[in-house]
Each structure stands twice: as structure tokens, then as C-alpha cells.
Amino acid sequence: QFMAVIQSIGNTILILEPWSDPLPLQRSWCLWELLCTARTGARLYFALKPSSFQEFSQALVDDFEHVMSQLSRMDLRRARAFRQQDQEMVLEQINLNVGLSSMNEMIQLRVKDYLIL
């Protein structure tokens, strides 16, 4: 079981690339990993490539409100998978377990918490 693997590892890294609209949040299988992370209590970490980190850091200094606005626009409903049946399975599991709105809020809160630390 994939969820058991996430639980045994205990950590998940989400690549915020690009930071303003992270591609992993547009991929259904990445959402599945995030759901498994949330359900198992695994820690969620964020990473950016060095050039993006510099851009992101500068944006935080220059216009923090813009950064927060961009990150608040994340919407997991846009997520897609290569195979339609995979997309449907992931979205169904998210809806059964936490709901898309709650999943959106969870990710946004984790990102905001990460920024404040």
C-alpha cells in the first residue's frame, strides 16, 4: 500500500516549482501523495530550486501580500493525470477522506506556516 510507504518514510517533500503556481499541485498523483501524507501524519516539507528560491525570497521582501495572494490561488480542482481513471480515483479518494476544499485549505495553510517560520 502506498499510504503505508509514506507512513514508514515519515516525510514528503513538495517541490514548489514555480512557486507562484506549483506544478505538483496540478498533478493528481501528487495530490494522492499529499493526502497520504496528511492521513498518516507524515511531515510535509517544501523545496525550491536555488534560482526560484532567490526570486521567491526577493518577492517576500518586496511584496509579501502578492506572494500570499499567489499562494492562496492554489486550486487542486485543476489537477490532472495522464489516465482519466487515475484522476477520478484520486479525486474520489480526496473527496471521501477530506474533500477538495479542505485539501486546498490544508496545503495553503502548510505553505503559509512554512513562510512564517
Side-chain angles (χ1 to χ4, degrees):
Q1 286 243 11
F2 189 76
M3 196 169 300
V5 172
I6 294 285
Q7 185 173 26
S8 70
I9 294 171
N11 300 289
T12 300
I13 299 174
L14 178 64
I15 309 298
L16 294 176
E17 191 58 42
W19 68 264
S20 58
D21 192 19
L23 293 175
L25 298 181
Q26 299 172 34
R27 303 296 308 155
S28 296
W29 279 109
C30 293
L31 299 185
W32 176 249
E33 291 176 32
L34 292 173
L35 175 63
C36 292
T37 299
R39 291 202 57 213
T40 63
R43 290 178 298 273
L44 178 61
Y45 297 96
F46 301 98
L48 294 106
K49 64 183 182 179
S51 60
S52 293
F53 182 76
Q54 290 173 345
E55 176 189 327
F56 182 64
S57 296
Q58 192 61 48
L60 283 172
V61 171
D62 293 343
D63 194 355
F64 183 77
E65 291 302 319
H66 174 71
V67 171
M68 296 308 289
S69 173
Q70 286 293 106
L71 295 175
S72 294
R73 290 181 332 125
M74 290 180 197
D75 187 354
L76 306 180
R77 290 171 189 88
R78 298 181 304 159
R80 299 291 176 255
F82 182 71
R83 293 177 13 181
Q84 182 66 28
Q85 68 189 53
D86 291 346
Q87 179 179 339
E88 291 169 2
M89 183 279 300
V90 169
L91 293 177
E92 177 183 353
Q93 288 300 311
I94 289 171
N95 280 321
L96 287 173
N97 286 280
V98 294
L100 276 170
S101 294
S102 293
M103 189 82 168
N104 270 335
E105 290 173 20
M106 179 193 77
I107 299 301
Q108 290 170 1
L109 287 173
R110 293 247 184 138
V111 171
K112 288 175 185 177
D113 287 347
Y114 176 77
L115 295 177
I116 293 171
L117 293 177

